[in-house]
Amino acid sequence: MTVNPPVPSQLDVAGELLALLRETTTEPRPDNQLEALTLAVAADLPVLLWGEPGIGKTAALTQLAAALDLPLTTVIASVHEPSDFSGLPVVGDDPAEQGVPMAPPDWAVRLVRAGRGLLFLDELSTAPPAVQAALLRLVLERRVGALQLPPGVRIVAAANPRSSAADGWELSPPLANRFVHLQWAHDHEVVVRGLGGTWPRATLPRLDARALPAAVEHARRAVCEFLTVRPPLVHRLPSGETRRGGAWPSPRSWDMTLRLIAFATAAGSSREVLSMLVRGTVGDGPALELLAALDRMELPDPEVLLADPAGAELPERGDRRQAVLDGIVSAVCRRPEKSRWDAAWTIMVRALETGAPDLVVVPATSLAALRREEWDVPAAIERLAGVVDLSRRADLAAERTADRTGARVGAGR
Amino acid sequence: MSAVAPGTLDLGKLFAARLHAARVRPYLATALFALHTVESRRVPTMAVDRYWRCYVSPAFVDRTPVEELAGVWVHEVSHLLRDHHGRGDRAARLQGLNGPGARLRMNIAADCEINDDVFGDGLVMPEGAVTPEALGLCGGELMEDYLRRFGLGPLTHNLVWLDCGSGADGMERDWDLGPDGAHGLSEQEQDAVRFRVAQGINGRPGHTPKGWKRWAEDAFHPPQPWRELLGAAVRSAASGAGAGEDYSYGRPSRRSACLPGVVLPSLRRRPPRVSVVIDTSGSVSDAELGSALLEVAAIAQALGGRRDLVTVVPCDAAARIVHPLCEGEGIPLLGGGGTDLRAGFARALGQGPRPDVIVVLTDGQTAWPAVRPPCRTVVGVFDRPERARWDEDDPDYVPDPTPAWARVVSVGSSASSR
């Protein structure tokens, strides 16, 4: 007998090629989407990822599970029957006497046994309505049949947007209100670089244990102060066809917002991440209003600036700087005193020296109008001559504009 | 007038112009002040990037009067507020427009969208500004609409120098400082500025031009294409519990084999019956009806796969006959005169097997049934804002609002690609 040299089978060669293709590296890269998802999952809120099919929602979930060290259980909702979520009847010896227990499916049993895990409900939007109704209970009460999922289990669902969903299912307002809606989009650069062999490795947010009490303080203050001045936004059912199935404000979703602000603050997350989370909880309009209020909260307090005008630090950005100057004028207006008026002039001069002069014009004019007869004009005001000149130039431009448009109307018609 | 060395940027003039712009357009002040000025000799005039930096050519500032500079300020900030770079990118992706030529067309189209309503009322149009009229187009449309209407040709050959920067068309320029440069606004900060401007306009709409009001209303809720909305509404009405898919004991469940002695229901798909009630009164145009009816037929067919389950009820003041859709395209949409859709509802519900879904296509000038019909209802309302709703005989006539039990989609060309 002769021994043939081992001829590699075609499948072995194919295996080699596959192994080569799998050889990819990763590089760290900030990823706001993934950071928002991680924070929401850490905050134990059910998340719903909206995204076109095939853009890497599942891949993101795999990465998240690995980062949080949670076992991932994926359930494709559209291939299940409702009884898979509400429990399968198992007939015993004497059903009339002992009843028919509703047995949970194996994945739920494994989840409960593990005590923790990431449950990913994929393709929520292509599941038949009856299955979605059964899933409602799973998401809301965390029950599968007779089984209660332990608190260590986190739930993330994924759905295709209405434009690409074949069956056009959409969330009812009560269900929509219980999710944090995150829009999932692919980043062109990341995809191209990934296909070239280098996938991003997101640096996940870390909660700072020392910052926790301050974060809760901050979140409570932000939401409460905002809702105090905007009572209609506490509860507003979505109206109109375009806003159906999305996030909307209610006491429940504001509570979720509060929790997410605290988490984002404790993790030191960027405004982008916070914006994604808050918009996904209470909807775009209320979220943008809240974020604007947060911006104002972070602007320097006019009273602090007036107390120490020489050391006043004004924001760099023009629109925020103008907001601060306006705040100072209204603070002086509320409690007009000579010393405060003088301090405000000092700040105006500072603003003129450190930034664009045109945004000082309006606050300076309003401040001048606050003058009482017995108040002397402060020496600092002379340094605002440039502002007066600027204002005059703008006035002249306005006059010329009036002349030109007036002339044009006369000539043209 | 000012002692500025030749060749350096005359900031005084530039800021006087911005002040003038902020005075005549107070609702844009936040956005104007949020722009960060960067002196640049490579920019032909003034240009913006997508991070809200404004690049300014010193020579351009020198030769342009203050009042025209103010117009340029407003023009440039409008590119950013209206998200022309994002919309340009989307248009490039959807319509496969690539290269500098296409981006120049986007810039021109974006300029047309701005220039047709931003000037006047205290603001002078800068010299050489592009208007839709100069290209032989009608005004008042969106960038995406203009983009389809013209190509580069003799009318645009004197515009090739035109360059409002990457903020206007989404293509990076070599003078751009990029995302890492200083003083850029992040997306969230841009949204915050847009939101404040929109709030200012919505709060005091008084003298704001129509274009800005339209922008402010849509800034954060762009209208969705009505086809998708109507499709989603019909699909969700037809596939909701009770219609279409449901449990039936008519056949055993596939799980019955492993549970002897237990009768389990199985999920069965019963194609939904859809009845389309069409308002054939004089006020609805044939083109509108045709497009909407086609859409409904396509959706219903995709749901059931059976055209015989879709019926059509033409209705003006009275409903005449019920037509099955399988009769082909020859459904006579008779009518004209007044509308009373209550007759149409009665007729649709009176047919043999009752429909699971009623789709109503109307212009909204009708009376509605007082009680909720016993099936899901989707109403497509033809949206024509330019034609006021009125009645010759009764000047105080206000049509009934669409009922709360129906899902209402506005159908029309006005909610276009944005």
Side-chain angles (χ1 to χ4, degrees):
Chain A
M1 269 176 70
T2 52
V3 182
N4 290 330
V7 177
S9 79
Q10 274 301 300
L11 271 183
D12 289 341
V13 181
E16 252 175 68
L17 182 57
L18 285 176
L20 271 180
L21 280 170
R22 267 195 294 268
E23 265 177 33
T24 53
T25 53
T26 55
E27 60 182 1
R29 184 188 170 96
D31 185 339
N32 287 337
Q33 297 189 120
L34 200 57
E35 190 172 340
L37 173 64
T38 313
L39 279 178
V41 167
D44 197 13
L45 297 171
V47 182
L48 182 56
L49 303 181
W50 290 95
E52 304 287 337
I55 56 164
K57 296 190 287 276
T58 313
L61 257 288
T62 314
Q63 199 183 5
L64 176 70
L68 294 175
D69 192 24
L70 287 175
L72 176 68
T73 306
T74 303
V75 177
I76 312 275
S78 54
V79 299
H80 282 270
E81 290 201 350
S83 49
D84 291 343
F85 301 109
S86 54
L88 299 151
V90 178
V91 184
D93 294 336
D94 189 359
E97 199 55 39
Q98 293 169 358
V100 179
M102 302 294 267
D106 66 329
W107 57 261
V109 175
R110 277 203 300 270
L111 259 182
V112 171
R113 208 171 286 152
R116 50 203 281 282
L118 187 62
L119 176 57
F120 179 38
L121 303 169
D122 204 357
E123 308 217 9
L124 209 59
S125 50
T126 42
V131 173
Q132 286 160 8
L135 276 173
L136 190 65
R137 186 147 177 265
L138 168 58
V139 174
L140 304 188
E141 298 172 31
R142 308 166 74 103
R143 289 188 82 92
V144 186
L147 218 55
Q148 173 85 44
L149 293 180
V153 172
R154 302 292 153 90
I155 299 174
V156 179
N160 298 333
R162 291 207 306 180
S163 52
S164 62
D167 281 348
W169 174 69
E170 60 198 19
L171 298 174
S172 64
L175 184 55
N177 198 230
R178 285 164 163 99
F179 275 112
V180 179
H181 302 251
L182 291 181
Q183 305 296 329
W184 209 259
H186 72 270
D187 184 342
H188 179 77
E189 240 173 82
V190 168
V191 172
V192 173
R193 209 164 150 63
L195 293 174
T198 313
W199 288 102
R201 187 177 64 245
T203 38
L204 293 177
R206 298 220 148 267
L207 297 173
D208 180 359
R210 286 162 305 170
L212 300 188
V216 173
E217 219 303 294
H218 174 72
R220 291 215 164 115
R221 208 180 117 213
V223 172
C224 296
E225 277 185 9
F226 175 66
L227 289 181
T228 312
V229 291
R230 292 287 283 141
L233 288 185
V234 172
H235 189 269
R236 202 168 63 185
L237 261 165
S239 64
E241 197 63 27
T242 38
R243 287 169 223 189
R244 236 167 227 274
W248 56 279
S250 76
R252 186 207 333 267
S253 50
W254 280 117
D255 183 48
M256 290 161 65
T257 307
L258 200 153
R259 210 194 277 199
L260 288 170
I261 294 179
F263 268 79
T265 312
S269 293
S270 70
R271 244 329 140 69
E272 303 291 308
V273 173
L274 183 63
S275 164
M276 277 179 169
L277 288 169
V278 178
R279 286 167 103 160
T281 321
V282 289
D284 280 353
L288 284 162
E289 278 198 48
L290 174 72
L291 292 165
L294 272 174
D295 272 342
R296 274 197 301 278
M297 259 172 73
E298 280 166 17
L299 288 180
D301 185 356
E303 294 299 334
V304 174
L305 293 181
L306 285 173
D308 177 22
E313 287 280 337
L314 294 169
E316 193 76 25
R317 242 174 69 194
D319 55 327
R320 312 185 68 178
R321 175 175 284 229
Q322 206 216 5
V324 171
L325 295 181
D326 283 344
I328 287 169
V329 174
S330 39
V332 174
C333 187
R334 266 197 307 277
R335 199 149 53 85
E337 285 163 21
K338 171 83 168 104
S339 60
R340 290 161 66 83
W341 192 66
D342 286 344
W345 280 116
T346 314
I347 297 170
M348 294 296 157
V349 171
R350 256 191 97 77
L352 183 69
E353 284 165 353
T354 54
D358 51 340
L359 41 88
V360 185
V361 173
V362 176
T365 319
S366 335
L367 192 61
L370 290 179
R371 179 175 172 244
R372 299 277 168 90
E373 271 180 32
E374 65 273 19
W375 293 354
D376 291 332
V377 178
I381 221 162
E382 275 174 31
R383 284 148 76 186
L384 286 164
V387 170
V388 180
D389 178 46
L390 195 76
S391 180
R392 199 178 304 125
R393 286 177 84 172
D395 287 340
L396 286 173
E399 278 169 29
R400 281 198 302 272
T401 309
D403 287 349
R404 276 172 71 164
T405 45
R408 189 174 299 165
V409 169
R413 294 185 190 159
Chain B
M1 182 162 143
S2 53
V4 178
T8 54
L9 182 59
D10 186 350
L11 279 174
K13 189 171 177 184
L14 193 64
F15 287 134
R18 183 161 77 169
L19 180 62
H20 175 54
R23 278 181 180 167
V24 291
R25 298 283 184 275
Y27 47 89
L28 299 181
T30 304
L32 284 168
F33 290 144
L35 283 176
H36 178 76
T37 347
V38 180
E39 179 177 346
S40 169
R41 268 158 228 288
R42 279 184 285 173
V43 192
T45 54
M46 272 167 79
V48 281
D49 71 5
R50 55 174 76 218
Y51 306 98
W52 288 62
R53 298 189 197 94
C54 184
Y55 304 87
V56 188
S57 147
F60 175 70
V61 173
D62 270 345
R63 67 168 187 264
T64 314
V66 177
E67 58 271 26
E68 283 188 23
L69 271 181
V72 180
W73 270 111
V74 171
H75 175 97
E76 297 300 335
V77 87
S78 303
H79 278 308
L80 296 173
L81 281 172
R82 297 181 185 198
D83 190 28
H84 279 154
H85 50 91
R87 287 162 60 194
D89 285 348
R90 271 197 294 283
R93 215 166 40 237
L94 291 176
Q95 305 178 20
L97 300 172
N98 281 313
R103 294 293 182 170
L104 174 64
R105 272 179 60 216
M106 276 177 208
N107 197 305
I108 295 174
D111 277 12
C112 285
E113 178 191 313
I114 295 172
N115 291 350
D116 61 10
D117 64 354
V118 84
F119 298 113
D121 193 19
L123 211 56
V124 191
M125 183 181 292
E127 208 171 302
V130 196
T131 56
E133 289 77 26
L135 300 176
L137 305 168
C138 332
E141 301 208 38
L142 297 176
M143 167 191 172
E144 287 84 354
D145 299 321
Y146 286 129
L147 201 52
R148 288 190 211 100
R149 305 270 157 82
F150 72 95
L152 296 179
L155 281 174
T156 57
H157 74 265
N158 55 350
L159 300 174
V160 288
W161 57 270
L162 186 132
D163 198 343
C164 290
S166 53
D169 54 23
M171 188 175 68
E172 301 286 316
R173 304 298 201 277
D174 52 358
W175 60 71
D176 277 357
L177 295 181
D180 305 324
H183 302 296
L185 259 61
S186 71
E187 249 169 68
Q188 194 271 329
E189 288 170 320
Q190 299 175 16
D191 271 355
V193 173
R194 283 198 194 101
F195 183 71
R196 279 191 64 183
V197 173
Q199 255 190 329
I201 294 174
N202 286 335
R204 258 172 300 170
H207 291 291
T208 320
K210 205 174 87 212
W212 278 115
K213 268 189 255 180
R214 182 175 70 183
W215 171 81
E217 278 160 18
D218 299 349
F220 289 96
H221 292 286
Q224 288 193 16
W226 65 266
R227 272 165 225 280
E228 281 170 23
L229 284 178
L230 187 65
V234 172
R235 276 195 301 255
S236 107
S239 63
E245 224 151 2
D246 211 347
Y247 280 87
S248 140
Y249 286 90
R251 282 199 213 180
S253 161
R254 64 184 165 92
R255 290 217 157 100
S256 294
C258 52
L259 287 168
V262 179
V263 184
L264 290 174
S266 66
L267 195 59
R268 285 287 155 246
R269 189 166 175 81
R270 186 170 58 85
R273 270 181 288 270
V274 179
S275 215
V276 188
V277 179
I278 296 181
D279 179 350
T280 51
S281 61
S283 44
V284 181
S285 83
D286 290 354
E288 282 173 334
L289 272 181
S291 66
L293 182 56
L294 265 183
E295 213 54 44
V296 172
I299 296 157
Q301 214 177 331
L303 278 171
R306 286 168 57 188
R307 283 167 69 102
D308 56 313
L309 292 174
V310 183
T311 52
V312 178
V313 185
C315 171
D316 51 2
R320 291 181 169 79
I321 337 162
V322 178
H323 298 273
L325 192 69
C326 56
E327 273 181 10
E329 288 74 44
I331 299 168
L333 295 177
L334 299 172
T339 322
D340 188 354
L341 282 181
R342 287 176 297 194
F345 271 95
R347 187 84 218 186
L349 291 168
Q351 342 170 14
R354 214 161 57 189
D356 299 304
V357 183
I358 293 186
V359 180
V360 184
L361 300 173
T362 175
D363 61 353
Q365 303 197 46
T366 175
W368 296 95
V371 290
R372 182 187 191 130
C375 64
R376 284 151 209 268
T377 311
V378 178
V379 178
V381 180
F382 296 102
D383 184 32
R384 278 157 307 166
E386 72 274 13
R387 206 190 299 168
R389 294 183 177 163
W390 54 280
D391 188 330
E392 280 174 5
D393 306 325
D394 178 8
D396 298 327
Y397 167 77
V398 177
D400 290 352
T402 44
W405 38 258
R407 299 190 48 173
V408 183
V409 178
S410 36
V411 173
S413 56
S414 57
S416 60
S417 49
R418 237 191 103 178

